Amino acid sequence: MAKQAMLKFVQIDRVMPEKRAADDRKDDFDEIYAEYASAKAEEQASRCSQCGVPYCQSHCPLHNNIPDWLRLTATGRLQEAYQTSQATNTFPEICGRICPQDRLCEGNCVIEQSGHGTVTIGSIEKYITDTAWDKGWVMPVSPPSERSESVGIIGGGPGGLAAADMLRRAGIQVTVYDRYDRAGGLLMYGIPGFKLEKDIVQRRNDLLADGGVEFVLNCDVDAAKFDEIRAKHDAVIIATGVYKSRDLSMPGSGLDGIEKAIDFLTASNRKSFGDVVEDFDNGRLNAKGKKVVVIGGGDTAMDCVRTSIRQGATSVKCLYRRDRANMPGSQRETQNAEEEGVIFEWLSAPKGFTGDDSVTGVMVQKMRLGQPDASGRQAPEVIEGADYVEEADLVIKALGFEPEDLPTLFGQPDLPVTRWGTVKAAFQTGATEMDGVYAIGDIVRGASLVVWAIRDGRDCANAIIDTFNSKAAIAAE
């Protein structure tokens, strides 16, 4: 029966959930995709070809059992689909919303390669767990027994929260220390609501708290605090992420009106919570009525241009030094931005800024793609004599993120770091050379995807559980 319910990709076309019209959605920060109706979710799940070697699963960092929960959805066994999805992914409804499926699971779907259009994996994943919340199937962690060991997690982003969840399931005591007033990291303050509404994140925070995770918020960890945390817990996980913005050093880069992407996005998200945000209210981090230029081509740049549209910018342009095909951000997000009125200036790079006290324009040099560089990508080359000035009242630098100097910040000169400043940690376990200290997520990988942070958090938690079990077994001998 289950087999007959599948393999319908020839008869049934790929259909995404309905997307709100650009004119309707660009005035608010609500999510732009509607939810599947039950019948449509089952229909789209039935398109899965149930491959013997599921490339969707192998190209997912979490190796989610995608064919299994698609089959369960197609046959109306939705609670089992949720249980299967949740078994390998701590936050499936979040990944369903923000993962770049076009580069991961959906981009490697076998029926996509045969011209039938990929299964809408991300949208079905979102539907499964949203329905589970609605039905009351998502319950707080309730470990079979409590243990005396405790773990302190520095950083309440997706990696830290995923580790917290796994550790609590084993009965281990967990405290999460975070610098912000709300846990979630970039899920809460970096990613805009039109991609991930914040109640989705907050209900996960609440669920963890209900399951016994202690949160210590507004906590800046310095040398004294790190020593205190390490003394209090049996293990410490560093899950701080990377928040230091890459910068530009060129003429005019110190002018007013040139801002970092993280500051701009954080101010916007805080405003959506109803917080008092002085730099938004005084216009510094508000795009309303301004000509906005965003520099960069990743997902953060897409968040900035689409946020600027919603804030009421008079024009929004994105400068990227390579062409569309080489853009690192999601193609789906690029399309959404274009629909909303963003103009992309491909093969364009800044060389300086104009203005006296405040920025009035970006000096742009046109590029062409030359020979491949060390990474294999074609290196941009300047086209001489093709410079021009792009008018701008607000310039947002979305150039990526680098790690903070944690050995200095934490007063831990023995904390090993790479030449890029990321923490050196063992693959799969997250263990560092410091006894009982682990590191996961972007602070180890560099700026990466939420799904990789979740994977790292789960792997690290399992490694810590194994270590605690081994110590307990030795002590019992």
Side-chain angles (χ1 to χ4, degrees):
M1 178 178 177
K3 189 68 176 178
Q4 294 172 350
M6 308 304 290
L7 298 162
K8 293 184 178 179
F9 57 88
V10 176
Q11 302 101 311
I12 299 173
D13 291 336
R14 179 182 191 269
V15 178
M16 283 285 290
E18 184 178 351
K19 183 165 62 172
R20 297 165 61 207
D23 286 343
D24 293 335
R25 69 185 193 241
K26 67 182 184 181
D27 293 326
D28 61 51
F29 283 83
D30 297 338
E31 291 184 7
I32 73 170
Y33 289 101
E35 193 75 84
Y36 273 137
S38 176
K40 182 60 69 173
E42 292 179 11
E43 173 197 86
Q44 289 298 302
S46 74
R47 298 181 67 248
C48 174
S49 62
Q50 297 289 285
C51 306
V53 180
Y55 291 108
C56 58
Q57 182 173 351
S58 62
H59 283 83
C60 169
L62 289 164
H63 301 310
N64 287 328
N65 298 314
I66 296 168
D68 290 346
W69 49 253
L70 286 174
R71 186 185 72 253
L72 291 166
T73 301
T75 53
R77 296 157 63 186
L78 204 61
Q79 187 167 5
E80 292 173 75
Y82 161 68
Q83 292 166 346
T84 304
S85 175
Q86 186 72 39
T88 55
N89 188 353
T90 312
F91 310 121
E93 76 277 26
I94 293 175
C95 289
R97 285 168 164 84
I98 65 173
C99 260
Q101 288 97 1
D102 52 351
R103 304 205 308 261
L104 299 173
C105 53
E106 293 183 15
N108 291 279
C109 177
V110 167
I111 65 172
E112 166 75 6
Q113 314 306 321
S114 62
H116 290 284
T118 178
V119 176
T120 54
I121 296 168
S123 297
I124 297 169
E125 180 179 42
K126 169 178 173 284
Y127 164 79
I128 291 169
T129 306
D130 282 353
T131 303
W133 280 98
D134 292 341
K135 298 283 189 181
W137 300 336
V138 184
M139 302 296 291
V141 169
S142 181
S145 62
E146 296 288 347
R147 300 175 58 151
S148 62
E149 301 99 331
S150 73
V151 176
I153 301 174
I154 303 173
L161 297 182
D165 177 80
M166 295 293 288
L167 291 165
R168 280 301 299 140
R169 291 178 187 278
I172 294 166
Q173 311 310 306
V174 178
T175 303
V176 175
Y177 303 87
D178 197 83
R179 68 178 77 181
Y180 293 110
D181 56 347
R182 300 174 180 91
L186 290 178
L187 297 178
M188 191 66 84
Y189 286 123
I191 298 172
F194 53 79
K195 286 170 63 177
L196 177 62
E197 292 178 355
K198 301 311 161 188
D199 61 323
I200 303 298
V201 183
Q202 188 57 49
R203 70 184 181 186
R204 280 291 178 183
N205 292 340
D206 295 342
L207 190 76
L208 287 167
D210 291 343
V213 175
E214 179 185 359
F215 287 93
V216 179
L217 304 175
N218 294 306
C219 179
D220 285 317
V221 177
D222 55 13
K225 190 65 179 178
F226 186 89
D227 288 339
E228 177 189 325
I229 292 170
R230 197 176 180 196
K232 180 179 179 180
H233 299 285
D234 298 290
V236 174
I237 301 174
I238 300 171
T240 56
V242 289
Y243 282 89
K244 180 182 175 183
S245 298
R246 293 196 181 111
D247 214 340
L248 291 170
S249 180
M250 55 185 57
S253 58
L255 290 169
D256 290 342
I258 302 175
E259 305 293 346
K260 298 174 182 176
I262 188 64
D263 294 340
F264 177 72
L265 293 172
T266 299
S268 180
N269 279 314
R270 281 195 177 279
K271 199 65 183 174
S272 72
F273 287 118
D275 294 354
V276 175
V277 185
E278 183 179 349
D279 284 334
F280 183 92
D281 295 336
N282 65 24
R284 180 189 152 200
L285 296 174
N286 187 349
K288 185 177 182 179
K290 296 178 181 177
K291 297 175 182 176
V292 178
V293 173
V294 176
I295 302 170
D299 290 330
T300 301
M302 297 305 97
D303 294 343
C304 289
V305 294
R306 298 183 66 201
T307 295
S308 298
I309 288 286
R310 285 159 174 76
Q311 290 182 357
T314 56
S315 67
V316 181
K317 294 188 176 182
C318 183
L319 303 183
Y320 181 57
R321 61 182 184 153
R322 289 185 167 94
D323 60 9
R324 186 185 192 114
N326 285 279
M327 195 173 187
S330 165
Q331 291 296 321
R332 188 178 300 168
E333 284 299 296
T334 304
Q335 178 184 341
N336 288 335
E338 288 177 325
E339 291 171 358
E340 293 165 3
V342 176
I343 297 172
F344 287 86
E345 299 289 353
W346 308 110
L347 295 165
S348 302
K351 62 180 294 188
F353 305 93
T354 62
D356 295 326
D357 297 320
S358 299
V359 68
T360 59
V362 183
M363 293 183 282
V364 180
Q365 51 191 6
K366 296 299 292 182
M367 317 293 285
R368 60 171 168 256
L369 295 180
Q371 295 300 312
D373 60 16
S375 69
R377 299 172 73 192
Q378 288 179 278
E381 298 174 348
V382 175
I383 300 175
E384 298 296 338
D387 297 359
Y388 70 98
V389 175
E390 186 69 63
E391 292 184 4
D393 306 307
L394 174 62
V395 176
I396 302 170
K397 299 174 291 186
L399 306 167
F401 301 99
E402 296 175 341
E404 297 164 291
D405 181 3
L406 290 192
T408 300
L409 186 65
F410 291 169
Q412 303 295 322
D414 293 335
L415 182 66
V417 295
T418 68
R419 61 189 178 96
W420 299 282
T422 51
V423 176
K424 286 184 179 178
F427 179 66
Q428 289 188 325
T429 68
T432 72
E433 293 175 3
M434 294 178 66
D435 184 43
V437 176
Y438 299 76
I440 60 170
D442 288 2
I443 196 58
V444 176
R445 293 180 177 273
S448 188
L449 301 174
V450 166
V451 66
W452 276 114
I454 296 170
R455 163 73 182 270
D456 290 349
R458 292 171 66 92
D459 284 350
C460 180
N462 285 329
I464 291 173
I465 293 166
D466 288 344
T467 298
F468 287 168
N469 288 343
S470 296
K471 289 180 177 179
I474 292 171
E477 289 179 355

